[in-house]
Amino acid sequence: MTTPASTVPAITAPAHVSSGVAFRALLLRDAFVLRKNLREFLPRTILQPLLLVFVFTYVFPKIGQGVGGAGGEAEFSTMLVAGVLASVILFQGIQSVALPMVQEFGYTREIEDRVLAPLPLELVGAEKIVAGALQCLFSALIVFPIATFVPATPVHLQVDWLVLLTIAPLACVMSASLGLMFGTLFDPRTVPLLFGIVVIPLTFLGCIYFPWAQLESIRWLQILVLVNPLVYMSEGFRAALTPVHHMSLWAIYPVLLGFTMVFTALGLRTFRNRVLS
């Protein structure tokens, strides 16, 4: 005797299992697309840190253009590595998350395929943050060989592994969440504004080329730049990699964590609103 098909109980995977499978599938999809686009990804990732390090730590010393005062070229080169690391992570977070999001919500409409995955909308947005953070981490690793072989002056790194291994992932996630927020706030027509009025000021006032403490003589600016997340990233990497005086870690960690939480919450909310609108 056979049991009618309609009476056989359906075997379904728990919701968290199916969500996990779908989340990994989206990550693998992004990894596959990245592998297919390495010709665009690698130059975009390498060029910025290479030019910064090459100009400031190779060209300037070779032509006798001192940076950091007499005899301070080596100290400047060491300090610059931390700033370059922070700026690379920030740029990669915006480029790997924000710009594709603008396209997916714009003319490609690829976002419509993504949201068909058996995932809550917030997890689809969170996957973009995770994928972007991994790309940020890869970009950060590229800075170290550049800093080793390019500078004409010695770079004296003193690695604090505990700080480095906690600051780096936090900075990567924060940058990717910032990219998600930007990607859902801007559309293709307003992308030039993103770089013109947001990214460029963040970079020039992000303490990449100088420690935050040196702004003490311009007190109003020293206070103003505290709203810039790149400042805390630069100072955090100085604490992790250099003997240069840096901002207190008791300020860096809570602020970076706060920025990460705010950008993630805003990014996921605007992502959901854009999808449903």
Side-chain angles (χ1 to χ4, degrees):
M1 179 176 147
T2 60
T3 305
S6 59
T7 65
V8 177
I11 301 175
T12 59
H16 68 277
V17 174
S18 60
S19 294
V21 171
F23 191 89
R24 288 193 296 273
L26 286 178
L27 277 178
L28 290 174
R29 175 184 179 180
D30 283 334
F32 178 78
V33 172
L34 179 63
R35 184 170 65 86
K36 298 290 286 185
N37 295 326
L38 281 180
R39 290 183 178 180
E40 295 87 16
F41 174 75
L42 289 178
R44 182 188 76 197
T45 301
I46 295 172
L47 193 58
Q48 182 210 357
L50 179 61
L51 286 177
L52 279 174
V53 174
F54 179 72
V55 170
F56 283 105
T57 68
Y58 182 83
V59 175
F60 274 28
K62 288 292 186 180
I63 65 175
Q65 179 71 47
V67 180
E73 289 85 359
E75 182 180 350
F76 178 79
S77 298
T78 303
M79 179 190 64
L80 184 66
V81 171
V84 170
L85 199 57
S87 67
V88 164
I89 290 176
L90 184 74
F91 266 87
Q92 189 62 44
I94 294 173
Q95 290 179 326
S96 64
V97 182
L99 297 186
M101 288 295 295
V102 169
Q103 295 175 356
E104 290 174 14
F105 277 112
Y107 56 89
T108 68
R109 305 302 301 173
E110 185 182 336
I111 196 63
E112 296 176 358
D113 295 333
R114 288 184 176 273
V115 298
L116 291 176
L119 284 172
L121 290 180
E122 288 78 8
L123 279 182
V124 177
E127 185 275 332
K128 297 296 291 183
I129 293 177
V130 173
L134 291 175
Q135 293 184 47
C136 289
L137 193 59
F138 176 77
S139 302
L141 293 175
I142 291 177
V143 174
F144 291 99
I146 292 175
T148 301
F149 297 108
V150 173
T153 54
V155 174
H156 306 292
L157 298 182
Q158 295 181 8
V159 181
D160 186 327
W161 287 104
L162 179 60
V163 177
L164 180 61
L165 294 178
T166 50
I167 283 289
L170 184 57
C172 290
V173 173
M174 190 209 69
S175 299
S177 61
L178 179 64
L180 179 68
M181 188 181 73
F182 284 161
T184 51
L185 288 176
F186 289 84
D187 58 52
R189 294 178 297 105
T190 57
V191 166
L193 290 177
L194 170 61
F195 286 91
I197 68 175
V198 179
V199 177
I200 291 178
L202 284 178
T203 303
F204 279 96
L205 298 176
C207 294
I208 295 174
Y209 312 106
F210 48 83
W212 178 77
Q214 288 187 356
L215 288 175
E216 190 172 0
S217 58
I218 317 174
R219 185 61 178 170
W220 65 269
L221 184 59
Q222 188 182 41
I223 295 173
L224 180 64
V225 299
L226 290 176
V227 301
N228 185 348
L230 187 56
V231 170
Y232 303 93
M233 293 169 60
S234 299
E235 292 293 299
F237 283 117
R238 286 195 183 99
L241 297 172
T242 75
V244 178
H245 180 69
H246 54 80
M247 187 185 293
S248 171
L249 290 174
W250 290 101
I252 293 172
Y253 279 107
V255 175
L256 279 180
L257 184 59
F259 274 126
T260 302
M261 295 172 64
V262 170
F263 293 153
T264 301
L266 291 176
L268 293 178
R269 187 176 70 178
T270 53
F271 175 81
R272 180 180 180 84
N273 292 341
R274 284 288 299 273
V275 170
L276 296 178
S277 62

